[in-house]
Amino acid sequence: MKLNIVPARTGFEWVKLGVRTFMKQPLALTGLFFMYMAVVAVLFTIPVVGPVLGVMIAPAATLGFMMATWEVTNGRFPMPTVLVSAFRADRQRAKAMLVLGGLYALCAVVVGLLSSLVVGDLPMPQPNTQTAPDAALAARVFLSLLLYIPVLLLFWHAPALVHWYGVSPVKSMFFSVVACVRNFGAYLVYGLAWGAVFVALSLVMSMVAALVGGQAAATAVLVPTLLLLLAMFSTSLYFTFRDSFRPDEPEAPESTPGEEGGSARG
């Protein structure tokens, strides 16, 4: 397994490929995303253990969306079973994915604790005094997003490296960071381009809904629009991995990404 260094403009190509691939199977890919969201919502209703499991399955779900994209690019319909591809592999890689999920959950807890320690507990809202709670909430959200950036880098490619290249969980996190840092320009363009897509489409949909049905309609349209965009964004994740890494030997025709490089063990 080797690292690819790509030009900054590749980030824009990743966005275009994600949108183009999504449009080939919009209902299937949207359905997979909503299926994942439904599972997470159910898990979060289970006391104590549920939220932990809901966070732990995020890396496996990331791999599932990558597998779904790969299926579509090869002219196949992505079945719901792709979401559990991580656990249909051999026992060693399935176990490694569980470890990766545990590390992800641990990082999420650390981010939450750090933001709570810095910002402090949110004050209880008082009548006619919404400014302070709103400011504290905004500060916590901003700090959490800032602290989440290193976590994002650690786990961006880790699930795919574990599954397709057999890299150990800790090493996969290290290689993920290296790939993101070495291709910083491409990932910056990728993030800015997706940000522009989210803002532009959300504004257009909200304005149209507001003109037709008022503010209530605009609010009702905004949430499904954002979820649809997230499903589209998830489709582009595969291309960031495909272009950031390559196997040591050429892949066989129609092989799964990393199949020939599966001997690279962490």
Side-chain angles (χ1 to χ4, degrees):
M1 179 265 294
K2 297 179 180 179
L3 173 68
N4 268 339
I5 307 299
V6 298
R9 66 177 180 276
T10 306
F12 188 63
E13 292 298 320
W14 291 337
V15 176
K16 290 196 299 182
L17 285 169
V19 174
R20 190 180 307 156
T21 304
F22 179 84
M23 290 304 178
K24 291 180 180 179
Q25 290 287 353
L27 294 179
L29 293 170
T30 301
L32 290 175
F33 183 79
F34 277 85
M35 189 180 301
Y36 165 66
M37 294 295 293
V39 170
V40 172
V42 171
L43 287 175
F44 268 74
T45 62
I46 303 173
V48 185
V49 178
V52 176
L53 292 176
V55 176
M56 282 185 65
I57 65 173
T62 299
L63 175 70
F65 292 126
M66 288 186 177
M67 287 292 295
T69 302
W70 184 81
E71 292 283 347
V72 175
T73 58
N74 283 277
R76 292 191 284 269
F77 184 87
M79 300 299 291
T81 51
V82 297
L83 290 179
V84 293
S85 297
F87 306 115
R88 298 171 66 196
D90 60 80
R91 183 175 299 180
Q92 183 178 353
R93 298 193 189 199
K95 182 180 178 180
M97 192 65 70
L98 288 174
V99 172
L100 194 66
L103 292 172
Y104 183 77
L106 179 62
C107 289
V109 170
V110 170
V111 168
L113 290 175
L114 287 176
S115 63
S116 179
L117 287 173
V118 174
V119 178
D121 294 331
L122 293 176
M124 294 296 293
Q126 301 294 326
N128 303 321
T129 57
Q130 294 295 322
T131 304
D134 288 347
L137 178 60
R140 175 171 292 185
V141 170
F142 177 77
L143 181 60
S144 296
L145 291 175
L146 194 64
L147 292 172
Y148 187 70
I149 292 176
V151 179
L152 195 64
L153 299 181
L154 286 167
F155 291 91
W156 191 270
H157 296 299
L161 288 170
V162 165
H163 182 77
W164 277 319
Y165 288 107
V167 181
S168 67
V170 174
K171 283 188 177 181
S172 71
M173 293 161 63
F174 171 76
F175 292 143
S176 178
V177 172
V178 171
C180 292
V181 172
R182 293 291 299 276
N183 287 311
F184 174 77
Y187 285 95
L188 179 62
V189 171
Y190 175 76
L192 292 175
W194 268 121
V197 171
F198 269 73
V199 171
L201 192 55
S202 298
L203 285 176
V204 170
M205 295 298 291
S206 297
M207 289 174 62
V208 171
L211 290 174
V212 174
Q215 187 59 42
T219 303
V221 167
L222 183 60
V223 174
T225 299
L226 290 175
L227 291 175
L228 185 67
L229 286 170
L230 285 172
M232 196 178 294
F233 168 78
S234 299
T235 307
S236 69
L237 294 175
Y238 164 73
F239 299 106
T240 68
F241 173 74
R242 183 198 66 180
D243 293 343
S244 294
F245 297 93
R246 67 178 185 272
D248 295 324
E249 299 294 335
E251 290 183 291
E254 298 300 319
S255 63
T256 302
E259 190 172 80
E260 291 296 312
S263 60
R265 300 280 174 178

